[in-house]
Short mmCIF file of all heavy atoms in Angstrom, two decimals:
data_model
loop_
_atom_site.label_atom_id
_atom_site.label_comp_id
_atom_site.label_asym_id
_atom_site.label_seq_id
_atom_site.Cartn_x
_atom_site.Cartn_y
_atom_site.Cartn_z
N ASN A 89 -117.19 -100.34 -67.40
CA ASN A 89 -116.64 -99.11 -66.69
C ASN A 89 -116.55 -99.72 -65.12
O ASN A 89 -117.37 -99.42 -64.33
CB ASN A 89 -117.56 -98.00 -66.75
CG ASN A 89 -117.00 -96.78 -66.02
OD1 ASN A 89 -116.02 -96.89 -65.30
ND2 ASN A 89 -117.60 -95.65 -66.12
N ARG A 90 -115.33 -100.30 -65.00
CA ARG A 90 -115.08 -100.88 -63.67
C ARG A 90 -115.00 -99.81 -62.53
O ARG A 90 -115.04 -100.28 -61.29
CB ARG A 90 -113.74 -101.80 -63.71
CG ARG A 90 -113.75 -102.79 -64.68
CD ARG A 90 -114.83 -104.00 -64.44
NE ARG A 90 -114.54 -104.68 -63.17
CZ ARG A 90 -115.43 -105.25 -62.47
NH1 ARG A 90 -116.63 -105.35 -62.88
NH2 ARG A 90 -115.08 -105.86 -61.34
N ARG A 91 -114.80 -98.51 -62.87
CA ARG A 91 -114.80 -97.56 -61.81
C ARG A 91 -116.28 -97.22 -61.27
O ARG A 91 -116.27 -96.68 -60.20
CB ARG A 91 -114.17 -96.27 -62.32
CG ARG A 91 -112.62 -96.45 -62.70
CD ARG A 91 -112.10 -95.21 -63.18
NE ARG A 91 -112.82 -95.01 -64.53
CZ ARG A 91 -112.65 -94.04 -65.34
NH1 ARG A 91 -111.74 -92.95 -64.99
NH2 ARG A 91 -113.35 -93.83 -66.40
N LEU A 92 -117.15 -97.48 -62.11
CA LEU A 92 -118.59 -97.13 -61.69
C LEU A 92 -119.15 -98.18 -60.81
O LEU A 92 -118.98 -99.34 -61.02
CB LEU A 92 -119.45 -96.98 -62.96
CG LEU A 92 -120.88 -96.71 -62.86
CD1 LEU A 92 -120.93 -95.32 -62.26
CD2 LEU A 92 -121.44 -96.84 -64.29
N VAL A 93 -119.86 -97.83 -59.72
CA VAL A 93 -120.47 -98.80 -58.81
C VAL A 93 -122.00 -98.47 -58.92
O VAL A 93 -122.49 -97.35 -58.81
CB VAL A 93 -120.13 -98.59 -57.40
CG1 VAL A 93 -120.88 -99.48 -56.52
CG2 VAL A 93 -118.51 -98.81 -57.18
N LEU A 94 -122.75 -99.50 -59.27
CA LEU A 94 -124.15 -99.44 -59.36
C LEU A 94 -124.93 -100.17 -58.29
O LEU A 94 -124.31 -101.27 -57.76
CB LEU A 94 -124.68 -99.88 -60.87
CG LEU A 94 -124.14 -99.30 -61.90
CD1 LEU A 94 -124.67 -99.93 -63.27
CD2 LEU A 94 -124.58 -97.72 -62.09
N VAL A 95 -126.06 -99.85 -58.05
CA VAL A 95 -126.84 -100.62 -57.01
C VAL A 95 -127.95 -101.25 -57.83
O VAL A 95 -128.64 -100.68 -58.58
CB VAL A 95 -127.50 -99.61 -55.97
CG1 VAL A 95 -128.45 -100.40 -55.02
CG2 VAL A 95 -126.37 -98.90 -55.22
N GLU A 96 -128.13 -102.59 -57.71
CA GLU A 96 -129.09 -103.29 -58.32
C GLU A 96 -129.89 -104.36 -57.46
O GLU A 96 -129.32 -104.74 -56.49
CB GLU A 96 -128.57 -104.12 -59.56
CG GLU A 96 -127.70 -105.26 -59.28
CD GLU A 96 -127.21 -106.07 -60.37
OE1 GLU A 96 -127.37 -105.59 -61.52
OE2 GLU A 96 -126.73 -107.10 -60.26
N LEU A 97 -131.06 -104.71 -57.89
CA LEU A 97 -131.83 -105.62 -57.08
C LEU A 97 -131.21 -107.00 -57.30
O LEU A 97 -130.74 -107.35 -58.32
CB LEU A 97 -133.28 -105.63 -57.56
CG LEU A 97 -134.15 -104.61 -57.25
CD1 LEU A 97 -135.62 -104.73 -57.93
CD2 LEU A 97 -134.34 -104.34 -55.82
N THR A 98 -131.17 -107.78 -56.14
CA THR A 98 -130.91 -109.06 -56.28
C THR A 98 -132.12 -110.03 -56.54
O THR A 98 -133.24 -109.47 -56.63
CB THR A 98 -130.40 -109.63 -54.93
OG1 THR A 98 -131.27 -109.48 -53.84
CG2 THR A 98 -129.10 -108.79 -54.41
N ALA A 99 -131.89 -111.30 -56.57
CA ALA A 99 -133.15 -112.21 -56.72
C ALA A 99 -134.19 -111.93 -55.75
O ALA A 99 -135.35 -111.91 -55.88
CB ALA A 99 -132.69 -113.66 -56.83
N ALA A 100 -133.64 -111.89 -54.41
CA ALA A 100 -134.59 -111.64 -53.25
C ALA A 100 -135.31 -110.21 -53.40
O ALA A 100 -136.39 -110.06 -53.17
CB ALA A 100 -133.84 -111.64 -51.98
N GLY A 101 -134.49 -109.31 -53.94
CA GLY A 101 -135.04 -107.94 -54.14
C GLY A 101 -136.16 -107.92 -55.21
O GLY A 101 -137.28 -107.22 -55.13
N HIS A 102 -135.86 -108.72 -56.28
CA HIS A 102 -136.90 -108.84 -57.24
C HIS A 102 -138.15 -109.69 -56.91
O HIS A 102 -139.27 -109.20 -57.27
CB HIS A 102 -136.43 -109.66 -58.54
CG HIS A 102 -135.54 -108.78 -59.51
ND1 HIS A 102 -136.01 -107.76 -60.21
CD2 HIS A 102 -134.19 -108.67 -59.66
CE1 HIS A 102 -135.09 -107.17 -60.93
NE2 HIS A 102 -133.94 -107.71 -60.61
N GLU A 103 -137.90 -110.55 -55.91
CA GLU A 103 -139.04 -111.32 -55.45
C GLU A 103 -139.95 -110.37 -54.67
O GLU A 103 -141.27 -110.51 -54.72
CB GLU A 103 -138.50 -112.48 -54.56
CG GLU A 103 -139.68 -113.43 -54.11
CD GLU A 103 -138.98 -114.62 -53.31
OE1 GLU A 103 -137.98 -115.14 -53.76
OE2 GLU A 103 -139.56 -114.84 -52.31
N VAL A 104 -139.28 -109.67 -53.85
CA VAL A 104 -140.18 -108.63 -52.93
C VAL A 104 -140.76 -107.57 -53.92
O VAL A 104 -142.15 -107.37 -53.76
CB VAL A 104 -139.25 -107.93 -52.06
CG1 VAL A 104 -139.95 -106.59 -51.40
CG2 VAL A 104 -138.81 -108.79 -50.89
N THR A 105 -140.23 -107.02 -54.76
CA THR A 105 -140.84 -106.08 -55.54
C THR A 105 -141.85 -106.62 -56.58
O THR A 105 -142.87 -106.03 -56.87
CB THR A 105 -139.78 -105.18 -56.38
OG1 THR A 105 -138.91 -105.93 -57.23
CG2 THR A 105 -138.90 -104.38 -55.56
N ASP A 106 -141.44 -107.80 -57.13
CA ASP A 106 -142.57 -108.39 -57.90
C ASP A 106 -143.74 -108.83 -57.22
O ASP A 106 -144.86 -108.64 -57.61
CB ASP A 106 -142.04 -109.77 -58.51
CG ASP A 106 -140.89 -109.50 -59.63
OD1 ASP A 106 -140.69 -108.37 -60.06
OD2 ASP A 106 -140.23 -110.58 -60.03
N GLY A 107 -143.68 -109.17 -55.90
CA GLY A 107 -144.76 -109.38 -55.03
C GLY A 107 -145.69 -108.12 -54.83
O GLY A 107 -146.88 -108.18 -54.79
N LEU A 108 -144.92 -107.00 -54.66
CA LEU A 108 -145.67 -105.76 -54.56
C LEU A 108 -146.44 -105.32 -55.75
O LEU A 108 -147.60 -104.84 -55.70
CB LEU A 108 -144.67 -104.57 -54.18
CG LEU A 108 -143.81 -104.75 -52.90
CD1 LEU A 108 -142.95 -103.58 -52.72
CD2 LEU A 108 -144.84 -104.74 -51.69
N LEU A 109 -145.74 -105.56 -56.93
CA LEU A 109 -146.45 -105.29 -58.23
C LEU A 109 -147.55 -106.24 -58.37
O LEU A 109 -148.67 -105.85 -58.83
CB LEU A 109 -145.38 -105.38 -59.41
CG LEU A 109 -144.52 -104.32 -59.42
CD1 LEU A 109 -143.56 -104.52 -60.68
CD2 LEU A 109 -145.11 -102.97 -59.75
N ALA A 110 -147.47 -107.55 -58.08
CA ALA A 110 -148.56 -108.56 -58.24
C ALA A 110 -149.72 -108.00 -57.36
O ALA A 110 -150.87 -108.16 -57.87
CB ALA A 110 -147.95 -109.83 -57.85
N ALA A 111 -149.53 -107.45 -56.28
CA ALA A 111 -150.58 -107.12 -55.44
C ALA A 111 -151.25 -105.75 -55.99
O ALA A 111 -152.54 -105.70 -55.75
CB ALA A 111 -150.06 -106.67 -54.02
N MET A 112 -150.67 -105.00 -56.72
CA MET A 112 -151.26 -103.68 -57.16
C MET A 112 -151.73 -103.93 -58.57
O MET A 112 -152.73 -103.16 -58.85
CB MET A 112 -150.05 -102.63 -57.34
CG MET A 112 -149.75 -102.12 -55.83
SD MET A 112 -148.74 -100.54 -56.12
CE MET A 112 -147.16 -101.29 -56.74
N LEU A 113 -151.16 -104.66 -59.45
CA LEU A 113 -151.45 -104.67 -60.75
C LEU A 113 -152.93 -104.99 -61.26
O LEU A 113 -153.59 -104.27 -62.01
CB LEU A 113 -150.45 -105.61 -61.68
CG LEU A 113 -149.19 -105.05 -61.84
CD1 LEU A 113 -148.26 -105.97 -62.62
CD2 LEU A 113 -149.16 -103.61 -62.61
N PRO A 114 -153.60 -106.03 -60.52
CA PRO A 114 -154.88 -106.17 -60.82
C PRO A 114 -155.94 -104.96 -60.63
O PRO A 114 -156.67 -104.62 -61.50
CB PRO A 114 -155.40 -107.37 -59.98
CG PRO A 114 -154.14 -107.96 -59.60
CD PRO A 114 -153.07 -106.93 -59.55
N THR A 115 -155.68 -104.17 -59.46
CA THR A 115 -156.51 -103.09 -59.15
C THR A 115 -156.19 -102.02 -60.18
O THR A 115 -156.99 -101.26 -60.58
CB THR A 115 -156.26 -102.70 -57.76
OG1 THR A 115 -156.48 -103.73 -56.81
CG2 THR A 115 -156.99 -101.43 -57.38
N MET A 116 -154.83 -101.84 -60.52
CA MET A 116 -154.44 -100.80 -61.38
C MET A 116 -155.05 -100.98 -62.77
O MET A 116 -155.55 -100.19 -63.48
CB MET A 116 -152.80 -100.67 -61.62
CG MET A 116 -152.18 -100.12 -60.34
SD MET A 116 -152.38 -98.41 -60.33
CE MET A 116 -151.05 -97.95 -59.26
N ALA A 117 -155.07 -102.31 -63.18
CA ALA A 117 -155.49 -102.67 -64.63
C ALA A 117 -157.10 -102.37 -64.62
O ALA A 117 -157.54 -101.82 -65.54
CB ALA A 117 -155.24 -104.10 -64.90
N ALA A 118 -157.73 -102.83 -63.54
CA ALA A 118 -159.18 -102.51 -63.54
C ALA A 118 -159.57 -100.99 -63.51
O ALA A 118 -160.39 -100.55 -64.16
CB ALA A 118 -159.81 -103.14 -62.26
N THR A 119 -158.76 -100.15 -62.70
CA THR A 119 -158.92 -98.80 -62.69
C THR A 119 -158.51 -98.06 -64.00
O THR A 119 -159.36 -97.36 -64.46
CB THR A 119 -158.07 -98.19 -61.51
OG1 THR A 119 -158.41 -98.79 -60.32
CG2 THR A 119 -158.11 -96.57 -61.54
N ALA A 120 -157.55 -98.61 -64.72
CA ALA A 120 -157.10 -98.06 -66.05
C ALA A 120 -158.21 -98.35 -67.05
O ALA A 120 -158.34 -97.51 -68.01
CB ALA A 120 -155.88 -98.54 -66.40
N ALA A 121 -158.83 -99.46 -66.92
CA ALA A 121 -159.87 -99.89 -67.86
C ALA A 121 -161.18 -99.32 -67.70
O ALA A 121 -162.14 -99.33 -68.40
CB ALA A 121 -160.02 -101.45 -67.92
N ALA A 122 -161.33 -98.47 -66.69
CA ALA A 122 -162.73 -97.89 -66.27
C ALA A 122 -163.07 -96.97 -67.35
O ALA A 122 -162.39 -96.22 -67.88
CB ALA A 122 -162.69 -97.15 -64.85
N PRO A 123 -164.35 -97.06 -67.72
CA PRO A 123 -164.82 -96.25 -68.85
C PRO A 123 -164.88 -94.73 -68.70
O PRO A 123 -164.86 -93.93 -69.65
CB PRO A 123 -166.15 -96.77 -69.21
CG PRO A 123 -166.68 -97.51 -68.04
CD PRO A 123 -165.48 -97.88 -67.20
N ASP A 124 -164.84 -94.29 -67.43
CA ASP A 124 -164.96 -92.77 -67.01
C ASP A 124 -163.54 -92.37 -66.93
O ASP A 124 -163.45 -91.09 -66.67
CB ASP A 124 -165.81 -92.59 -65.90
CG ASP A 124 -165.07 -93.39 -64.59
OD1 ASP A 124 -164.49 -94.29 -64.81
OD2 ASP A 124 -165.47 -92.85 -63.45
N LEU A 125 -162.48 -92.99 -67.17
CA LEU A 125 -161.12 -92.45 -67.20
C LEU A 125 -160.50 -92.34 -68.53
O LEU A 125 -160.93 -93.03 -69.47
CB LEU A 125 -160.24 -93.32 -66.38
CG LEU A 125 -160.44 -93.28 -64.84
CD1 LEU A 125 -159.52 -94.39 -64.23
CD2 LEU A 125 -160.30 -92.07 -64.28
N PRO A 126 -159.71 -91.56 -68.76
CA PRO A 126 -158.91 -91.30 -70.03
C PRO A 126 -158.19 -92.60 -70.42
O PRO A 126 -157.91 -93.50 -69.54
CB PRO A 126 -157.86 -90.10 -69.88
CG PRO A 126 -157.98 -89.63 -68.44
CD PRO A 126 -159.15 -90.52 -67.68
N ASP A 127 -157.80 -92.64 -71.62
CA ASP A 127 -156.97 -93.70 -71.98
C ASP A 127 -155.81 -93.90 -71.11
O ASP A 127 -155.13 -92.88 -70.73
CB ASP A 127 -156.41 -93.39 -73.45
CG ASP A 127 -155.41 -94.40 -74.05
OD1 ASP A 127 -155.82 -95.52 -74.42
OD2 ASP A 127 -154.30 -94.02 -74.04
N PRO A 128 -155.43 -95.14 -70.79
CA PRO A 128 -154.15 -95.41 -69.86
C PRO A 128 -153.11 -94.61 -70.15
O PRO A 128 -152.24 -94.06 -69.44
CB PRO A 128 -154.07 -96.90 -69.79
CG PRO A 128 -155.45 -97.32 -70.09
CD PRO A 128 -156.05 -96.47 -71.12
N ALA A 129 -152.71 -94.67 -71.64
CA ALA A 129 -151.51 -94.07 -72.09
C ALA A 129 -151.55 -92.50 -71.75
O ALA A 129 -150.56 -91.85 -71.36
CB ALA A 129 -151.21 -94.31 -73.56
N GLU A 130 -152.70 -91.89 -72.02
CA GLU A 130 -152.82 -90.44 -71.75
C GLU A 130 -152.82 -90.12 -70.28
O GLU A 130 -152.23 -89.17 -69.82
CB GLU A 130 -154.28 -90.06 -72.20
CG GLU A 130 -154.36 -90.04 -73.78
CD GLU A 130 -155.64 -89.60 -74.24
OE1 GLU A 130 -156.43 -88.95 -73.52
OE2 GLU A 130 -155.95 -89.88 -75.39
N LEU A 131 -153.40 -91.09 -69.41
CA LEU A 131 -153.37 -90.83 -67.94
C LEU A 131 -151.96 -90.99 -67.50
O LEU A 131 -151.49 -90.11 -66.71
CB LEU A 131 -154.22 -92.04 -67.38
CG LEU A 131 -154.28 -91.95 -65.85
CD1 LEU A 131 -155.01 -90.62 -65.48
CD2 LEU A 131 -155.19 -93.08 -65.23
N ALA A 132 -151.18 -92.03 -67.95
CA ALA A 132 -149.74 -92.13 -67.50
C ALA A 132 -148.99 -90.84 -68.03
O ALA A 132 -148.24 -90.27 -67.30
CB ALA A 132 -149.25 -93.39 -68.14
N HIS A 133 -149.39 -90.26 -69.09
CA HIS A 133 -148.62 -89.16 -69.66
C HIS A 133 -148.91 -87.93 -68.87
O HIS A 133 -147.95 -87.25 -68.45
CB HIS A 133 -148.87 -88.94 -71.30
CG HIS A 133 -148.32 -87.67 -71.60
ND1 HIS A 133 -146.98 -87.63 -72.11
CD2 HIS A 133 -148.80 -86.45 -72.08
CE1 HIS A 133 -146.73 -86.44 -72.50
NE2 HIS A 133 -147.84 -85.68 -72.51
N GLY A 134 -150.21 -87.82 -68.32
CA GLY A 134 -150.44 -86.75 -67.49
C GLY A 134 -149.90 -86.86 -66.16
O GLY A 134 -149.49 -85.90 -65.70
N LEU A 135 -149.74 -88.08 -65.63
CA LEU A 135 -149.14 -88.29 -64.23
C LEU A 135 -147.73 -87.85 -64.36
O LEU A 135 -147.16 -87.18 -63.54
CB LEU A 135 -149.39 -89.58 -63.83
CG LEU A 135 -150.73 -90.01 -63.41
CD1 LEU A 135 -150.91 -91.51 -63.27
CD2 LEU A 135 -151.12 -89.30 -62.21
N HIS A 136 -147.07 -88.41 -65.50
CA HIS A 136 -145.57 -87.99 -65.65
C HIS A 136 -145.40 -86.49 -65.84
O HIS A 136 -144.51 -86.01 -65.22
CB HIS A 136 -144.99 -88.64 -66.91
CG HIS A 136 -144.70 -90.11 -66.65
ND1 HIS A 136 -143.57 -90.52 -65.97
CD2 HIS A 136 -145.31 -91.17 -66.91
CE1 HIS A 136 -143.45 -91.81 -65.95
NE2 HIS A 136 -144.57 -92.24 -66.48
N ARG A 137 -146.22 -85.75 -66.53
CA ARG A 137 -146.14 -84.34 -66.58
C ARG A 137 -146.27 -83.66 -65.29
O ARG A 137 -145.55 -82.69 -64.86
CB ARG A 137 -147.23 -83.79 -67.60
CG ARG A 137 -146.80 -84.13 -69.04
CD ARG A 137 -147.92 -83.63 -70.00
NE ARG A 137 -147.84 -82.05 -69.96
CZ ARG A 137 -148.76 -81.29 -70.52
NH1 ARG A 137 -149.72 -81.79 -71.14
NH2 ARG A 137 -148.72 -80.07 -70.25
N VAL A 138 -147.30 -84.17 -64.38
CA VAL A 138 -147.43 -83.55 -63.19
C VAL A 138 -146.28 -83.75 -62.30
O VAL A 138 -145.69 -82.90 -61.58
CB VAL A 138 -148.81 -84.03 -62.59
CG1 VAL A 138 -148.86 -83.60 -61.09
CG2 VAL A 138 -149.96 -83.46 -63.37
#
Side-chain angles (χ1 to χ4, degrees):
N89 184 352
R90 301 293 298 154
R91 293 176 296 177
L92 184 63
V93 177
L94 299 175
V95 180
E96 71 177 9
L97 289 176
T98 61
H102 280 290
E103 188 176 318
V104 166
T105 57
D106 289 351
L108 297 175
L109 287 174
M112 286 189 293
L113 286 178
T115 302
M116 290 282 201
T119 301
D124 60 334
L125 287 179
D127 173 70
E130 291 176 23
L131 182 58
H133 179 71
L135 290 171
H136 281 280
R137 286 184 60 193
V138 170

